[in-house]
Amino acid sequence: MSEEKWTVNFVVYRKKGEGAPHYQTFTLEVSPEEYVIDGVERIWAFHDRSLVFAHACHHSTCGACGMRVNGVEKLTCITRIRDVTSNGGTLRIEPLRNFPVISDLVVDMSRLYVGMDKVHAPAVHPLSMAPLEGEGIKPPREVPMDDGKEYLRLADCIECGLCISACPVAGTAEEYLGPAVLAAAQLQGLGRAPDLTAVVDCVDGVWRCHSAYECTAVCPSSVDPGWRIMDLRRQVLAQRIRRWFGGA
Amino acid sequence: MENPTKKPNTRGILDWFDPRGRRVGGWGFILNRLTAIGLTVYLYLHLIMLGKLAQGPEAYDSFIAFAKQPLIMFGEMLVIIGGLYHGLNGVRIALNSFGVGVPAQKQLLYGVLGLTLVGSLIFGLRMFATH
Ligand code: HEM
Ligand code: SF4
Ligand code: FES
């Protein structure tokens, strides 16, 4: 790591209980090669032990460290300070939007998990379905396979919620399933999982999307939820057209 | 952990229009929504104006004379720009919704903006040439 040191003002969103939110500034010496989460951890370690934030893996796998950094949704564990500010500059650190704030930088992501359950792609599987020895792994329902007959992961979605935060209409449509959930439905496909049609073909499903493509812009895991929503629309429309012509 | 308020962290409709931190697709959405609202307001103004026809030729003629001031002509220009953008972008969104051209949504939006510019210039030149 370089010896270079930067002085950066972390302007951090604070909110406890029913209290009004406010911003608190912490000026830190950091290496520009460090990640944003490193600064947040240092604030907690050396300046204010009451700062609440979430992380686990530190390598873009768990999806816990999502925050708004200078107004843009980022996984803070893979966002280098050099890429989002300058020496003497500011980092405005806020919790994700469109979820209720629990405390400071931590939000309640139930909205996302409940949606994942609705499309049969739960974030957490029952223990009985996760054999620890690795043999006889049985997905809860038919999960698509690639040509080599390997199970496809849930399109690499790490359930970080960045896409719901970036969506300009998710705040005024609390029941909107949202990009990650619709992407999980698209991956299964309405042909394979016809019962999903009723879940996604509704005002708070594929038709709530207003094509801003902000979900795709912020997704750290190449899920491309914007494209998947549009593809799901295509599937819904194809089904309807088939039905008009008397098809199944 | 107990969640004190279940209200999502949002500024409501202000978040529809905030361009900060957003990218090309997001700006396209903001413009579409603004032009949609603008066109809807214009539709009502337009109907009121057409209502002058029912009040006889004098009322209509005096309105047309009134409408030739620069400010109104500037407003008409905005309607053309907004209408062109909204209509062309509507075609882009409709295509995308059939699964067509989604990976090229940015390029399509630049195309929409380009056609809006060209169409507005042509209309503007003709409007100023005839008045
Ligand atoms: C040229 C013909 C037009 C086309 C192709 C068109 C297309 C569209 C499309 C595809 C949308 C949905 C956008 C989205 O998903 O966010 C939309 C929204 C809308 N349009 Fe149009 N439109 C046209 C003309 C008009 C006119 C003349 C008006 C008003 C008088 C209008 C008012 C609206 C409104 C209020 C919305 C909702 C805006 C929103 O949800 O953000 N449109 N239009
Ligand atoms: S689709 Fe992308 S941005 Fe949305 S929750 Fe999944 S990984 Fe995160
Ligand atoms: S800490 Fe796990 S994704 Fe960032």
Side-chain angles (χ1 to χ4, degrees):
Chain A
M1 202 180 279
S2 76
E3 296 298 303
E4 196 181 354
K5 284 286 175 207
W6 280 11
T7 305
V8 173
N9 299 306
F10 284 70
V11 180
V12 182
Y13 178 100
R14 306 298 305 265
K15 179 172 162 53
K16 299 287 183 199
E18 297 286 352
H22 63 280
Y23 289 86
Q24 196 177 353
T25 302
F26 300 91
T27 303
L28 303 188
E29 270 230 324
V30 294
S31 155
E33 304 306 324
E34 286 182 288
Y35 296 92
V36 173
I37 191 89
D38 297 325
V40 174
E41 285 177 335
R42 210 163 312 142
I43 293 170
W44 170 78
F46 300 116
H47 298 270
D48 188 343
R49 299 291 277 188
S50 74
L51 179 66
V52 176
F53 63 103
H55 75 84
C57 71
H58 272 216
H59 55 236
S60 70
T61 301
C62 71
C65 67
M67 297 170 203
R68 281 164 50 89
V69 177
N70 287 342
V72 183
E73 287 68 18
K74 296 282 185 192
L75 275 190
T76 49
C77 69
I78 54 166
T79 302
R80 277 196 322 172
I81 290 174
R82 185 188 288 289
D83 296 332
V84 282
T85 189
S86 52
N87 193 5
T90 294
L91 282 178
R92 198 177 175 84
I93 311 287
E94 296 168 297
L96 295 183
R97 289 193 307 189
N98 304 334
F99 298 104
V101 173
I102 295 174
S103 184
D104 296 338
L105 301 171
V106 172
V107 295
D108 175 351
M109 301 231 288
S110 308
R111 165 181 196 168
L112 170 58
Y113 307 136
V114 168
M116 284 297 193
D117 282 353
K118 282 189 191 151
V119 298
H120 316 302
V124 180
H125 294 268
L127 195 57
S128 59
M129 288 180 180
L132 298 178
E133 299 308 317
E135 85 283 351
I137 290 179
K138 195 162 57 89
R141 61 180 294 134
E142 205 172 322
V143 170
M145 297 190 192
D146 67 14
D147 293 339
K149 294 286 175 212
E150 291 270 343
Y151 284 119
L152 286 172
R153 276 190 63 200
L154 188 58
D156 291 331
C157 176
I158 57 171
E159 284 117 24
C160 60
L162 299 196
C163 51
I164 293 185
S165 176
C167 175
V169 299
T172 46
E174 287 182 43
E175 301 300 318
Y176 177 36
L177 290 174
V181 173
L182 294 169
Q186 185 273 348
L187 189 71
Q188 299 170 70
L190 299 183
R192 237 185 249 109
D195 55 314
L196 290 186
T197 305
V199 184
V200 302
D201 183 11
C202 59
V203 282
D204 284 311
V206 285
W207 305 110
R208 178 63 70 199
C209 168
H210 287 277
S211 320
Y213 299 113
E214 290 296 341
C215 48
T216 289
V218 300
C219 177
S221 209
S222 308
V223 174
D224 198 348
W227 175 79
R228 288 181 190 280
I229 295 171
M230 292 303 141
D231 186 70
L232 201 54
R233 267 192 192 170
R234 183 192 58 74
Q235 294 182 27
V236 167
L237 291 172
Q239 268 192 355
R240 280 199 202 171
I241 291 167
R242 271 198 300 277
R243 222 176 305 134
W244 288 335
F245 289 99
Chain B
M1 214 184 297
E2 194 50 36
N3 178 25
T5 54
K6 275 286 178 191
K7 274 202 170 335
N9 171 28
T10 168
R11 292 174 303 152
I13 66 172
L14 283 180
D15 283 343
W16 293 351
F17 300 113
D18 191 346
R20 287 173 297 174
R22 305 278 67 110
R23 315 280 178 89
V24 180
W27 300 333
F29 160 75
I30 293 172
L31 280 178
N32 197 260
R33 196 151 263 198
L34 288 174
T35 53
I37 294 168
L39 288 173
T40 306
V41 170
Y42 173 75
L43 178 66
Y44 283 97
L45 293 178
H46 188 63
L47 291 175
I48 292 169
M49 194 210 86
L50 285 183
K52 301 270 178 199
L53 271 178
Q55 294 167 18
E58 295 79 30
Y60 186 76
D61 286 346
S62 70
F63 177 81
I64 291 294
F66 163 79
K68 286 194 174 161
Q69 28 169 333
L71 190 68
I72 304 271
M73 280 166 71
F74 175 74
E76 282 174 358
M77 225 27 244
L78 285 185
V79 171
I80 295 302
I81 297 169
L84 275 172
Y85 173 80
H86 184 89
L88 290 167
N89 189 53
V91 174
R92 162 178 167 266
I93 291 175
L95 283 175
N96 282 184
S97 296
F98 285 103
V100 178
V102 180
Q105 62 89 7
K106 270 184 222 168
Q107 288 77 0
L108 286 171
L109 187 63
Y110 294 141
V112 163
L113 289 173
L115 287 175
T116 302
L117 185 71
V118 172
S120 305
L121 279 176
I122 292 173
F123 181 88
L125 289 175
R126 297 192 77 174
M127 183 166 80
F128 288 107
T130 43
H131 285 293

